[in-house]
Amino acid sequence: MRVAYAGTPEFAAAALASILAAGHVVPLVLTQPDRPAGRGMKLQASPVKQLALQHGVPVVQPVSLRLDGRHPADAAAAREALLAAAPDVLVVAAYGLILPEWVLTLPRLGCLNIHASLLPRWRGAAPIHRAIEAGDVRTGITIMQMDIGLDTGPMLHVAETPIGADDTTATLHDRLAAQGAALVLRSLDDAAHGRLHPVVQPTEGVTYAHKIEKAEAAIDWRQPATVIERRVRAFDPFPGATCRVPTDGAAETVKVWAARLATGDVPAGAPGQVVAVDADGPCVACGDGALWLTRLQRPGGKRVSGREFLQARPVPTGLVLG
């Protein structure tokens, strides 16, 4: 199989590595343009681009694929590259650009998408984050034949995985990336032998996983403790749940990387009030229930346990967090 590939982050790099290892010919990779990253804000290639270059695979990085859009030259160059690559199929995983119709119809077997949810639940940009945030107990990978809609195409293969009580977006991401890398090989093998059996997505149960915004990071202590605890896990590693901790007449923004639901006899308090402190860290009252904050990070610091945080920055009971 001649398998062109479109993807950008680590999630997509896992599947590309699997396709290369399986012996498929990858004549072309599409990925997002290099972006500034790190403290020095130097341009950095995406994980997919880095992997492609290691294997000598040609890479194109259009800003857009719309021939009638704001960057028609980029789109036209990408079209010429795809035509020259003559792929049997285009595999897409977390690419980051909308594929117009000319892309979807160019490969003779169409475009296959590796999507990190059990469609039609969590169509859209952030299915892993939103599944954890919503309290879903299971998720998975769907290999989908792409159409012009947003994750609306027929399903080809589905694999499930449970969401553990301590799963974060980081841990679930890694598990789903490996699952997707294995499942896409099955779909490619079936495509090569004419064994694909597309199944139309159900019309019921459709939800949308909207893109994660930095503004969502701030904890609203008026929410129930169960909701906040899920959001802490959903926002690890990005954008990281945050709260404001008063200090010497000012306040600093602290990231909360882990929290545990308080059980037993915990003093009552207003939302955001520190109602207890022990070796695990501070316990904060919420709109319903309370949370022990067990892993935190001060500005410019590193992630530390609740105990280490309190040693460096005491938090008395009665203090109200923002």
Side-chain angles (χ1 to χ4, degrees):
M1 292 277 282
R2 292 180 63 81
V3 183
Y5 195 82
T8 299
E10 289 287 352
F11 179 86
L16 177 58
S18 178
I19 291 168
L20 289 165
H24 293 289
V25 176
V26 181
L28 184 70
V29 159
L30 289 81
T31 191
Q32 288 275 329
D34 297 357
R35 307 287 191 203
R39 297 199 175 206
M41 295 301 286
K42 294 182 179 179
L43 286 179
Q44 183 171 320
S46 73
V48 164
K49 178 181 178 179
Q50 294 177 43
L51 179 62
L53 295 180
Q54 290 169 15
H55 288 266
V57 178
V59 175
V60 293
Q61 299 175 267
V63 175
S64 169
L65 292 170
R66 290 185 54 188
L67 295 169
D68 59 349
R70 295 171 57 187
H71 303 277
D74 255 27
R79 185 173 186 273
E80 290 303 313
L82 271 171
L83 285 169
D88 297 308
V89 64
L90 173 66
V91 172
V92 183
Y95 177 32
L97 289 184
I98 299 295
L99 301 191
E101 191 170 4
W102 72 261
V103 179
L104 297 174
T105 58
L106 190 149
R108 67 180 182 87
L109 296 175
C111 301
L112 307 184
N113 179 247
I114 307 169
H115 187 74
S117 82
L118 300 175
L119 291 170
R121 186 158 178 79
W122 302 127
R123 295 173 179 172
I128 302 176
H129 301 76
R130 298 306 183 190
I132 293 176
E133 182 185 21
D136 291 3
V137 297
R138 65 189 181 102
T139 186
I141 291 289
T142 303
I143 306 297
M144 173 188 63
Q145 185 86 50
M146 297 181 71
D147 62 16
I148 202 65
L150 176 62
D151 299 330
T152 56
M155 302 178 292
L156 303 173
H157 290 108
V158 177
E160 294 187 8
T161 190
I163 300 177
D166 57 351
D167 262 325
T168 65
T169 289
T171 61
L172 189 55
H173 165 281
D174 291 351
R175 203 156 70 245
L176 289 172
Q179 195 172 47
L183 198 60
V184 74
L185 294 184
R186 179 179 169 190
S187 295
L188 290 174
D189 186 61
D190 284 351
H193 294 90
R195 296 193 302 257
L196 289 178
H197 301 289
V199 176
V200 175
Q201 292 186 34
T203 56
E204 297 181 353
V206 175
T207 56
Y208 288 92
H210 297 290
K211 181 180 177 181
I212 301 296
E213 302 291 346
K214 287 186 177 181
E216 296 182 67
I219 294 172
D220 181 354
W221 298 108
R222 295 169 298 181
Q223 292 183 324
T226 53
V227 171
I228 297 173
E229 187 273 338
R230 292 198 305 260
R231 287 171 68 89
V232 168
R233 291 187 289 114
F235 295 166
D236 179 358
F238 176 85
T242 64
C243 64
R244 298 281 287 171
V245 180
T247 174
D248 298 330
E252 62 180 10
T253 299
V254 172
K255 290 199 173 186
V256 180
W257 292 114
R260 174 171 51 83
L261 294 174
T263 58
D265 294 328
V266 176
Q273 186 176 21
V274 177
V275 294
V277 177
D278 73 4
D280 286 340
C283 183
V284 184
C286 306
D288 180 22
L291 282 177
W292 290 99
L293 309 186
T294 58
R295 196 156 189 82
L296 305 112
Q297 181 180 13
R298 297 182 70 186
K302 61 181 181 179
R303 300 188 189 195
V304 297
S305 67
R307 178 196 296 269
E308 293 172 300
F309 180 85
L310 292 175
Q311 288 173 346
R313 204 290 183 204
V315 176
T317 56
L319 187 70
V320 178
L321 308 185

